[in-house]
Amino acid sequence: MNDLTRLEQSAAKETVSAGRRQLLAGSAGALVAAGVGGWAGPAAAQAKPLPAYVSWKDANSVIVHSATTIETKRSAFGSSVITPAEQLYIRNNLPAPDAAIVADRDSWEVMIEGVKSPRQLSVRELKTMGLETVAMVLQCSGNGRGFFPSKPSGTPWKVGAAGCVVWSGVPVRAVAEALGGMADGMRFMTGSGGEKLPEGLDPKTIIVERSVPMKAMADSLLAWEMNGAPISLAHGGPLRLIVPGYTGVNNIKYIKRLAFTATETDARIMSHGYRISPPGTKGDPSQPSVQEMSVKSWINSPNPDHSMVKAGQVQIQGVAFGGLHTIRRVEVSIDGGRTWQSARLVGPDLGKYAWRQFVLDARLPAGSYTLASRATDSAGNVQPEQRSENVGGYNNAGWVDHAVAVTVA
Ligand SMILES: Nc1nc2c(c(=O)[nH]1)N[C@H]1C(S)=C(S)[C@@H](COP(=O)(O)O)O[C@H]1N2
Ligand SMILES: [Mo]
């Protein structure tokens, strides 16, 4: 039995117990408990239960697309900057490793290569080498894919494959220094995930292994803590590579090897995956890789998932981030982008990699509105009106796609 089958079976088991739990919650739960549930069964339109390894997530805050793809509901994003672990999205390209790896966290080892004195370091040793904390937006490269009319293959995320999370760990540069500094001629930082790979397949075709340009090292961490707690298995514990400003896939969970390399890895997820491929083409190494995030914002409230919006004073709020730059301003439109008003940034500024909450205090008489937001970063980059078409449905920051239609009564 391979890992995927095992995962599906455990997910199926979970269907039953979660269904029992939901029985009290109403008829949807009752349907699942009656055995109609399952990943592809007739009840597929019903909310899928949480798989076992993320059973601790808040079921009401997430959309379970599959056992390895779970999205935060737009209506669940709060106003206090940080996304709680219970609400944060999940994206695993491979089934998560066995929970045994977080039983003795300090013993987890990562091999450091491409330095003068390469060696294996345990989390216990890493904890002696330095400490830094960074708040950053973790966002899947495919967040917003669900808005592409071309229906790219992959999870149709809307806005919820993103969150703002705080990580603590040792700066990668401190680790490199402790091992004699970088070897000559290295231009990339390459991280490899520690999942067990199915046998009989070329590991390069399945391993989660990504290279980022060396400049990304400056603020990168080998992190063991998220939002003040040891990183859960689901989010990459015991140890995760954090590359602030770079899309989700570059933040390698269960990191088992960190190498400074002269070239990008030839792992398939790097060479062919996550490429900006023009319509009608296939991913290949000549195309731009999905790496740095760019300026983006969206409105979370009010939105169509909420119950009816009452006419009168309304706080229109959302989040904005610049990827590698801080947010300078956010404009909000209540008429689909014909006219714009400056929104106010609220809450603490947790640094250039975090998102900012914004709010527009508006008086809305009864009627229909298209609410949109448009962010500008400190480098003067303005969130684009339209997505850039690409086969994979990556990097969607277009404000038109992210607008919401609401009825005020
Ligand atoms: N080892 C490993 N790291 C990984 C992945 C993975 O499958 N395995 N998925 C990547 C992708 S595509 C994303 S979007 C983020 C998701 O992080 P999260 O599940 O903690 O939200 O992790 C990235 N790091
Ligand atoms: Mo992702």
Side-chain angles (χ1 to χ4, degrees), residues 110-168:
V110 56
M111 182 67 203
I112 313 289
E113 292 172 13
V115 287
K116 299 266 161 59
S117 316
R119 58 166 286 210
Q120 190 116 316
L121 291 170
S122 66
V123 171
R124 189 177 291 108
E125 289 168 292
L126 289 171
K127 285 179 173 172
T128 69
M129 292 179 161
L131 180 65
E132 242 170 54
T133 293
V134 66
M136 71 155 214
V137 175
L138 181 69
Q139 178 183 228
C140 181
S141 320
N143 198 27
R145 180 187 287 128
F147 298 125
F148 278 72
S150 57
K151 301 224 178 304
S153 69
T155 309
W157 312 106
K158 296 280 183 61
V159 298
C164 186
V165 213
V166 181
W167 305 95
S168 291

Side-chain angles (χ1 to χ4, degrees), residues 88-94 138-141 167 192-195 208 234-236 240 247-254 274:
L88 184 64
Y89 83 100
I90 285 282
R91 166 67 168 122
N92 278 323
N93 293 269
L94 294 167
L138 181 69
Q139 178 183 228
C140 181
S141 320
W167 305 95
S192 318
E195 287 102 335
V208 177
H235 290 297
R240 182 167 189 174
T247 58
V249 68
N250 300 294
N251 295 267
I252 306 292
K253 309 186 200 189
Y254 337 108
Y274 298 88

Side-chain angles (χ1 to χ4, degrees), residues 19 22-34 36 43 46:
Q22 283 174 10
L23 196 53
L24 294 168
S27 57
L31 255 181
V32 176
V36 194
Q46 304 288 342

Side-chain angles (χ1 to χ4, degrees), residues 302-314:
N303 86 48
D305 298 345
H306 290 117
S307 47
M308 190 65 79
V309 183
K310 241 182 123 230
Q313 200 174 359
V314 177

Side-chain angles (χ1 to χ4, degrees), residues 327-349:
I327 281 296
R328 179 186 292 161
R329 71 173 183 147
V330 181
E331 300 155 287
V332 167
S333 173
I334 60 170
D335 55 15
R338 284 196 307 120
T339 60
W340 297 90
Q341 287 168 268
S342 273
R344 189 166 54 85
L345 298 177
V346 286
D349 180 351

Side-chain angles (χ1 to χ4, degrees), residues 256-267:
K256 66 151 196 232
R257 176 177 169 264
L258 180 65
F260 301 104
T261 53
T263 55
E264 281 181 6
T265 170
D266 59 356

Side-chain angles (χ1 to χ4, degrees), residues 110 168 212 217 386:
V110 56
S168 291
V212 291
M217 180 181 72
Q386 301 295 340

